[in-house]
Amino acid sequence: MLQHFLLSAVVAASLQASAERSTCTVVDGEYILAKNVATTYPKFLALEGDTMLSYAPAPGSRRSVPATEISGWAQSHGLAIHAKEGTCFERAGVTLTAQDYREAIRNQLKGTISGTEIDVLDFDSHILPPGRLELPVSGAALPPPDRPETAFLWRGRLISSGGASYPVWARVRVVGKRDVVRAVRNLAVGTILKPDQLTSAMEQGNPLGRDDSEPLTFYVGKSLTRSVTRGSRLYRDLVQHAPAVRRGDNVRVAVASGLAHLELDALADAAGYVGDSIQFRNPSGSGHFRALITGPGRAEIFVNIPDEDTKHRTPVPTFASRGSL
């Protein structure tokens, strides 16, 4: 008999809860609007549908509003409504999953290194309104470059359909493979890189980290902008195009004076690019002069050129970027 009574009580409670849920009006945003109340009291249709009447319940929960409060809403907006019974409002809610965070991260990694592994170790599991999950790169506290496998905190936000922003977070590990170029020995600033001075291998890396590395062929023939030690990784900003002439180079200098032309060998006192005017000296050390670099190992001097000859001479090109890439 007691067992039958308990079973009946449970069923009755379940039916009552189901009935309450079925009578609740679903609210999409942070406020209860006139159009929401109009589903129970149609006279509220006299107001603009988006007229805000009160705060909505928290995502995933319900709020019961007594008849007196509904009557008060009507009176404050000039409506003659005397509610006889209350009603309830329910706000939809979602709980983000590890897969939701994983997909948001993949959206940020488009176009980066392939074969990336994404592990979501922990995450914000609060009930939130339905919306769009965003994890901007600026919210990622990236691990040290030499320890890309380290887990890190990534902060983001969920944007609801109404435009409200809710902070979220996840602790993740994001690792992939990329081609890395390293120096095989200590190299001084200004070194013109050769293949045997470099090595290339696929290494672990965080695809969100620094990504200005290049394949080994990119670095060959370029000049170091600073010295590097053995095992150091090379990046784009560590090199520049090699100068056309380096200090101490033996350069062929063409001298033009009117219709007379001659060539001589000279030693460069400085490095320079095409279009630079640098100082040279006679190999015997008997004199110094300046000449314009016209190409690798080439320079030119014009002496007392008549005006008519100057008009027809092709100007030497200049390069504003010089050695930059």
Side-chain angles (χ1 to χ4, degrees), residues 197-263:
Q197 296 171 327
L198 308 172
T199 185
S200 176
M202 295 298 292
E203 296 183 10
Q204 260 190 353
N206 188 309
L208 297 166
R210 184 173 183 175
D211 189 26
D212 59 351
S213 58
E214 298 287 349
L216 188 146
T217 53
F218 170 85
Y219 298 100
V220 174
K222 293 186 172 64
S223 172
L224 283 174
T225 57
R226 66 176 178 81
S227 60
V228 297
T229 58
R230 177 182 177 182
S232 295
R233 181 175 173 181
L234 268 64
Y235 294 97
R236 172 184 285 268
D237 61 3
L238 288 178
V239 297
Q240 63 181 6
H241 289 294
V245 173
R246 291 181 295 173
R247 179 182 176 87
D249 279 357
N250 191 2
V251 177
R252 191 69 173 171
V253 181
V255 182
S257 179
L259 299 177
H261 298 269
L262 62 90
E263 291 189 352

Side-chain angles (χ1 to χ4, degrees), residues 299-315:
E300 212 169 44
I301 301 175
F302 301 108
V303 182
N304 298 325
I305 303 174
D307 291 342
E308 287 302 314
D309 193 26
T310 304
K311 293 179 182 179
H312 300 292
R313 182 172 294 280
T314 302

Side-chain angles (χ1 to χ4, degrees), residues 81-149:
I81 299 175
H82 299 285
K84 294 182 178 180
E85 61 181 33
T87 186
C88 73
F89 299 91
E90 182 176 10
R91 190 173 175 191
V94 298
T95 301
L96 296 174
T97 66
Q99 183 61 24
D100 293 325
Y101 285 97
R102 197 173 291 112
E103 288 301 322
I105 292 173
R106 285 200 182 98
N107 289 336
Q108 289 290 347
L109 298 182
K110 288 179 179 178
T112 57
I113 61 180
S114 60
T116 301
E117 297 178 3
I118 303 171
D119 295 322
V120 180
L121 307 176
D122 194 11
F123 55 91
D124 190 327
S125 57
H126 288 95
I127 298 177
L128 298 168
R132 182 181 70 258
L133 176 61
E134 295 182 352
L135 293 176
V137 176
S138 59
L142 299 180
D146 58 342
R147 297 182 60 189
E149 73 287 351

